[in-house]
Amino acid sequence: MQEKRNERIAASVREFLLTSFICFALFASVTAQTTAIRAGKLIDPDSGAVLTGQTILIRDNKVEAVGNNLTIPSNAKIIDLTKMTVLPGLIDCHTHLADGTRDSEPIGVFRKTAAELALESVPNARVTLESGFTTVRDVGTYRALGDIALRDAINRGDIIGPRMYVAGAYVTITGGAGADTGLAPDITLPWDMHYGEANSPWEVRQVIRKLAHDGVDHIKVLSSGAVLTHGSNPKSQEFTLEELQAAVDEASHFGLRVESHAHSPEGIKNAIRAGVASVEHATMIDDEGIALAKQHGTYLDMDIYDEECIQEEGKNGSMPKDFLEHDAALGQIQRDNFRKAVAAGAKMSFGTDAGVCPYGTSGKQFAFMVKYGMTPMQAIQAATSNAADLLGHSNEFGSIKPGKYADIIAVTGDPLTDIRTLETVQFVMKDGKIYKQ
Ligand SMILES: [Zn+2]
């Protein structure tokens, strides 16, 4: 008797659960927004192929399916991009979006409050996204942690911008490439202008522990002097190998990768030997450096376009004179070394140092990457699949595949025959939401 009763109860529980599940599934299918994009041409950077007649099904913020014989649900919103070339959202691996209004004189930062700088950065984020860059790796800011605030405001939906992965501060030697320099030595800087200063392996670890606690996504160190810093020499070495090894090791305890700014050959090689994920600029990389980068699988993130803006501002007098002296001949050296690195088969990512050139113009670097030895497909891969790999997020973006974020852009024409089409992106979707059409 008792046994039969228990069976009846179990049966009704099963029935209740099944009905609830059906109701939930029906409810979910009614509420989930489905979008179908019909793509004329679809570039797949993973395979290096161009696909035709594809439909991309998007549910909420993720790609659900891609193919040429997909059934489009009757309630789906259809976006017709049959006359365009569709690509995954672009990724710039070297930006400085949180530095406010662009100013080639870094001393300008001392005339602004942190709040001014943050609010001035809001349009930087918007124009970056609208130009087709749905993700950026932002690699340092004059005032620490402003980039974290910008990232979080975008993620909350308070302001419009790309998905940001941020460094929080420059981890730099005192007076080094990432320091706020140019003031008299008896002027005391506020905390957020020397937050990342470190002068021994243990100080490097201490700074990285603070940044990890603050919620950064990666660590930016500087292992040589800089072009656009007062009192700096790009040909010098800054952090030692020991300090760089401490940085990579400490960052790894928090699951963080490290990128290193480096112009000088020794600064580049020390960073690679220490195990950084990418070398930024890599201006004076020599043959040994290229071989080491290949051996360690280190990405080279070479900003070969911004020389145009440095030179132009030199001509119109708005670039500080010492910066132009640092820069002399380095622009061409970097471009020649970019060509060498591409020919040698080193791993290359797309990074522009956005902020040196106006925000929203990063797409102009593609033509230079092609001019200096890449195929158009390689240049696109540098800014999509390679960039996602460098950031450690290949499962989430970098190509248009089921399960990844619906980060999708489109251009008129074919970027594989005219790479400059990527300078004027006409359709931008990030996270399943359209920002430009
Ligand atoms: Zn930079």
Side-chain angles (χ1 to χ4, degrees):
M1 190 66 181
Q2 183 62 28
E3 216 169 82
K4 269 202 171 151
R5 210 177 135 226
N6 283 349
E7 249 173 47
R8 270 203 310 275
I9 292 171
S12 45
V13 166
R14 269 198 305 275
E15 197 180 325
F16 171 75
L17 286 176
L18 186 67
T19 319
S20 315
F21 175 76
I22 291 168
C23 286
F24 175 76
L26 279 173
F27 177 73
S29 70
V30 169
T31 52
Q33 172 64 53
T34 305
T35 305
I37 294 181
R38 292 184 191 279
K41 284 181 184 164
L42 175 64
I43 293 183
D44 176 26
D46 290 341
S47 61
V50 183
L51 309 168
T52 52
Q54 299 288 300
T55 300
I56 306 160
L57 280 186
I58 297 149
R59 192 182 290 265
D60 292 333
N61 66 333
K62 296 266 179 74
V63 174
E64 191 175 63
V66 186
N68 57 9
N69 272 319
L70 296 182
T71 316
I72 299 177
S74 56
N75 65 337
K77 177 182 163 192
I78 295 176
I79 299 170
D80 182 9
L81 301 177
T82 48
K83 294 195 172 65
M84 304 183 91
T85 303
V86 175
L87 304 95
L90 302 171
I91 303 162
D92 190 339
C93 299
H94 192 126
T95 65
H96 300 281
L97 300 188
D99 277 342
T101 306
R102 206 172 136 254
D103 185 354
S104 31
E105 174 50 87
I107 288 177
V109 78
F110 298 114
R111 298 190 195 101
K112 294 170 186 172
T113 61
E116 270 180 279
L117 216 56
L119 291 168
E120 283 181 6
S121 301
V122 172
N124 300 346
R126 177 192 271 270
V127 295
T128 300
L129 177 61
E130 288 173 348
S131 68
F133 287 83
T134 50
T135 299
V136 301
R137 185 182 63 166
D138 204 77
V139 292
T141 171
Y142 292 124
R143 300 197 80 136
L145 315 186
D147 50 356
I148 295 179
L150 192 64
R151 174 198 70 189
D152 293 350
I154 293 168
N155 289 347
R156 283 195 305 270
D158 294 346
I159 60 170
I160 288 171
R163 183 176 292 108
M164 286 182 79
Y165 291 93
V166 303
Y170 297 110
V171 182
T172 178
I173 64 167
T174 297
D180 286 322
T181 57
L183 292 188
D186 57 353
I187 290 179
T188 309
L189 292 175
W191 70 270
D192 58 348
M193 287 185 166
H194 60 90
Y195 195 69
E197 197 175 294
N199 291 291
S200 72
W202 284 105
E203 284 188 11
V204 166
R205 288 180 187 272
Q206 185 187 21
V207 165
I208 291 174
R209 288 167 188 174
K210 284 194 298 181
L211 289 168
H213 177 74
D214 295 327
V216 303
D217 304 297
H218 51 88
I219 298 294
K220 167 75 174 285
V221 299
L222 297 97
S223 59
S224 87
V227 171
L228 307 178
T229 304
H230 292 297
S232 193
N233 174 9
K235 294 176 182 151
S236 70
Q237 177 189 322
E238 294 198 344
F239 278 132
T240 62
L241 178 60
E242 204 187 353
E243 287 166 320
L244 294 166
Q245 284 166 333
V248 172
D249 179 58
E250 192 63 39
S252 77
H253 300 172
F254 301 96
L256 304 175
R257 297 181 180 190
V258 179
E259 64 272 5
S260 185
H261 154 112
H263 294 293
S264 71
E266 284 318 307
I268 293 166
K269 286 184 276 194
N270 282 338
I272 296 172
R273 288 189 180 110
V276 300
S278 67
V279 174
E280 308 302 300
H281 315 297
T283 310
M284 288 172 262
I285 191 166
D286 56 18
D287 292 343
E288 189 189 16
I290 292 173
L292 273 174
K294 280 190 71 176
Q295 187 192 327
H296 287 255
T298 316
Y299 274 98
L300 302 178
D301 200 39
M302 300 175 75
D303 51 335
I304 59 169
Y305 171 67
D306 53 18
E307 178 67 10
E308 299 300 299
C309 303
I310 295 173
Q311 288 308 320
E312 193 183 310
E313 288 184 29
K315 273 180 224 145
N316 71 26
S318 59
M319 182 63 67
K321 246 178 98 182
D322 50 337
F323 293 179
L324 290 169
E325 283 160 18
H326 298 163
D327 186 58
L330 285 188
Q332 193 55 46
I333 288 170
Q334 188 195 31
R335 289 171 177 180
D336 294 340
N337 286 335
F338 176 88
R339 188 190 287 283
K340 272 194 193 172
V342 171
K347 283 161 86 173
M348 309 296 287
S349 52
F350 182 102
T352 63
D353 216 352
V356 175
C357 285
Y359 297 105
T361 65
S362 294
K364 291 190 176 181
Q365 183 164 285
F366 285 107
F368 282 77
M369 293 168 96
V370 171
K371 183 176 172 189
Y372 286 94
M374 277 186 172
T375 64
M377 183 60 86
Q378 283 177 315
I380 291 167
Q381 286 166 330
T384 52
S385 48
N386 289 10
D389 180 44
L390 168 57
L391 269 67
H393 291 281
S394 292
N395 293 335
E396 291 157 81
F397 47 77
S399 61
I400 302 172
K401 294 283 160 67
K404 296 195 185 188
Y405 291 124
D407 289 358
I408 295 168
I409 64 162
V411 295
T412 305
D414 182 0
L416 297 180
T417 51
D418 178 10
I419 194 74
R420 294 197 60 187
T421 55
L422 291 174
E423 294 172 18
T424 43
V425 172
Q426 269 119 13
F427 174 87
V428 179
M429 172 184 275
K430 185 194 103 184
D431 226 14
K433 195 174 161 199
I434 299 170
Y435 289 90
K436 190 178 188 181
Q437 191 170 13

